[in-house]
Amino acid sequence: MRSAFATKSGWDQRIARAGELSKSYSFASEILSFYREIALFQKALYNYLETSAYRPVENTSNLPDNWDAFVLLPHFQPLLYVTSRTGPKPLAQLASELSDAGTTVWEQLLNDHWQAEHADDDGSSVSDSFFAHAFLQPYAEYLAAQADSVSNYTLAVCPFCFRRPALGILRPEGDGAKRSLLCSLCSTEWEFRRIVCPACGEQDVDRLPIYTASEFEHIRVEACDTCKVYIKTVDLTKNGRAVPVVDELAAIPLTLWAAEKGYRKLQANLLGT
Ligand SMILES: [Zn+2]
Ligand SMILES: [Zn+2]
């Protein structure tokens, strides 16, 4: 399943889409311009692993228990640099502080995040979690791209790294669409039944309302009235040019709207929203 949608070469699309949407969505332009810088950093890290034909020490049928500090840690400083230069003020400030804190602190921060069961459960602040997530994402994505695909998988957590999905995707199938979920850490995409809440398993269609807004015709808020959790799903049958992870970031008004309605997001995105 995973190999069918591998996002191996997806960096350029993400970078281009962030540039494009930052111009058309004024409310998201600052966030998307910053995301574009982060994606450029992530692409460079991914390319480094690829061109050096990196192979992890442990086997990769699932995410290894440990990340490779020896290989990766020397690449952390450039992320701090790009964030201090282009990030929103609080993150830029924190990047400078982390830069001064040194490698022992960085390693601890990254360990905590790698070992946390879920990307926003590592006990750190949203800001600390941003650095760890942005840094470890291309590494996890690289490992996932090497792994064997899975089939007949029905759970709502990633089959490779067991993290929660960041969003849903509707892809054309026959006359309709099938839904898949996209992992928040390693970007593995796996098929998931359409009428099931990925948080609590609710299957009663009357308890699973779907909301859309005219501003974002291709993005649905898929909510659950049983557990009050929602995810955003990007409908590629309505807009084939969308790059789900970027379009989800841009749809800030939907996040605000869902929060007002009392829904909690299943998994915060890279920027903590
Ligand atoms: Zn994953
Ligand atoms: Zn639910």
Side-chain angles (χ1 to χ4, degrees):
M1 214 48 61
R2 174 164 49 235
S3 58
F5 303 121
T7 51
K8 201 163 182 256
S9 58
W11 298 106
D12 289 332
Q13 285 97 306
R14 287 175 233 180
I15 291 160
R17 185 69 172 165
E20 187 184 323
L21 292 185
S22 71
K23 294 187 189 90
S24 44
Y25 293 145
S26 56
F27 51 80
S29 85
E30 196 185 334
I31 270 188
L32 290 171
S33 302
F34 174 53
Y35 170 78
R36 188 176 170 278
E37 298 289 333
I38 295 305
L40 283 163
F41 163 82
Q42 292 180 314
K43 177 191 171 186
L45 182 54
Y46 191 98
N47 285 351
Y48 166 77
L49 294 168
E50 199 167 51
T51 53
S52 61
Y54 174 77
R55 289 285 172 273
V57 182
E58 300 171 54
N59 83 55
T60 57
S61 57
N62 289 111
L63 195 75
D65 290 339
N66 297 295
W67 61 289
D68 195 333
F70 179 76
V71 166
L72 291 169
L73 208 53
H75 298 268
F76 193 63
Q77 177 76 56
L79 173 64
L80 297 177
Y81 177 70
V82 76
T83 307
S84 68
R85 208 167 41 82
T86 64
K89 214 164 184 184
L91 275 184
Q93 175 66 33
L94 188 61
S96 305
E97 288 166 23
L98 275 172
S99 193
D100 295 339
T103 52
T104 312
V105 171
W106 305 347
E107 192 166 354
Q108 189 59 51
L109 177 102
L110 293 162
N111 274 342
D112 290 349
H113 194 77
W114 189 258
Q115 263 132 31
E117 189 183 347
H118 293 301
D120 50 2
D121 284 353
D122 64 1
S124 63
S125 66
V126 167
S127 319
D128 281 352
S129 161
F130 161 77
F131 290 102
H133 199 76
F135 185 69
L136 293 170
Q137 203 171 36
Y139 174 61
E141 198 165 317
Y142 177 83
L143 296 179
Q146 321 292 313
D148 297 331
S149 59
V150 291
S151 51
N152 300 322
Y153 184 82
T154 57
L155 302 182
V157 290
C158 172
F160 181 70
C161 76
F162 311 115
R163 307 295 170 111
R164 286 190 289 251
L167 51 91
I169 301 174
L170 286 177
R171 292 184 181 272
E173 184 184 54
D175 294 333
K178 64 180 171 187
R179 180 168 74 163
S180 50
L181 300 175
L182 185 77
C183 177
S184 52
L185 180 66
C186 75
S187 301
T188 290
E189 185 180 335
W190 70 100
E191 276 180 42
F192 192 73
R193 284 175 52 207
R194 280 186 70 166
I195 315 295
V196 180
C197 168
C200 75
E202 178 62 77
Q203 298 185 31
D204 179 352
V205 68
D206 294 331
R207 302 200 59 80
L208 299 170
I210 289 165
Y211 303 99
T212 53
S214 56
E215 242 172 327
F216 304 99
E217 280 179 339
H218 66 300
I219 304 183
R220 306 142 55 103
V221 170
E222 298 185 329
C224 173
D225 283 332
T226 300
C227 68
K228 301 303 271 183
V229 165
Y230 80 98
I231 60 166
K232 285 185 216 162
T233 288
V234 179
D235 187 346
L236 296 178
T237 70
K238 295 224 165 86
N239 185 341
R241 288 168 40 76
V243 176
V245 74
V246 185
D247 286 60
E248 193 282 321
L249 270 179
I252 299 165
L254 293 181
T255 305
L256 301 175
W257 179 88
E260 267 170 34
K261 291 279 170 191
Y263 294 116
R264 182 173 57 82
K265 205 176 188 192
L266 180 61
Q267 171 65 53
N269 61 31
L270 176 65
L271 297 173
T273 60

